Amino acid sequence: MTGMAVSPATRQLCDATFSYDEAASALSLLDLYAGPDPERVHQAAVRLSGGRLGRLRKWLDEAKRNPETVLWFGESPSDVSADTHAFGVEFINAFLDKHPDTPAVSGSE
């Protein structure tokens, strides 16, 4: 299943976030997201990835289950302080970094 086309603004964000060699892969991963609010989810996941494809893949996997979680971490929530939010993002990304990527199985979705 293919998601919504990636917006020009999200393409620019990918170009600014990922290396030249990885930007196309990042766009391909984003294109697979078929859930609600695709542009916001795409941009939140790219910001959260910190330019790492493995993190992007994991944030998009979470977005398939619960897009609101990705939006909360990837945007600026009003229900916590900026420091608390930054700590949460760093904590989750450190957790993701400790769990190696598992290869995606094509045709599994």
Side-chain angles (χ1 to χ4, degrees):
M1 177 190 297
T2 300
M4 181 181 160
V6 177
S7 74
T10 301
R11 287 178 182 277
Q12 289 178 337
L13 185 59
C14 277
D15 289 342
T17 305
F18 290 93
S19 69
Y20 178 79
D21 294 339
E22 292 183 335
S25 295
L27 291 170
S28 294
L29 287 171
L30 293 172
D31 194 44
L32 296 174
Y33 175 74
D37 222 347
E39 185 167 5
R40 285 178 62 209
V41 168
H42 286 170
Q43 290 185 15
V46 169
R47 282 190 295 271
L48 289 165
S49 75
R52 295 184 182 184
L53 290 174
R55 279 186 190 168
L56 179 63
R57 187 177 305 109
K58 289 176 181 179
W59 281 111
L60 289 170
D61 285 346
E62 177 60 26
K64 290 176 187 173
R65 291 185 295 275
N66 190 353
E68 287 303 315
T69 299
V70 175
L71 293 174
W72 188 90
F73 280 103
E75 296 179 342
S76 297
S78 59
D79 59 342
V80 296
S81 72
D83 288 343
T84 300
H85 181 254
F87 173 81
V89 170
E90 289 174 24
F91 183 84
I92 296 295
N93 276 335
F95 177 82
L96 294 177
D97 292 346
K98 289 180 182 176
H99 294 81
D101 286 342
T102 52
V105 178
S106 61
S108 65
E109 298 188 18

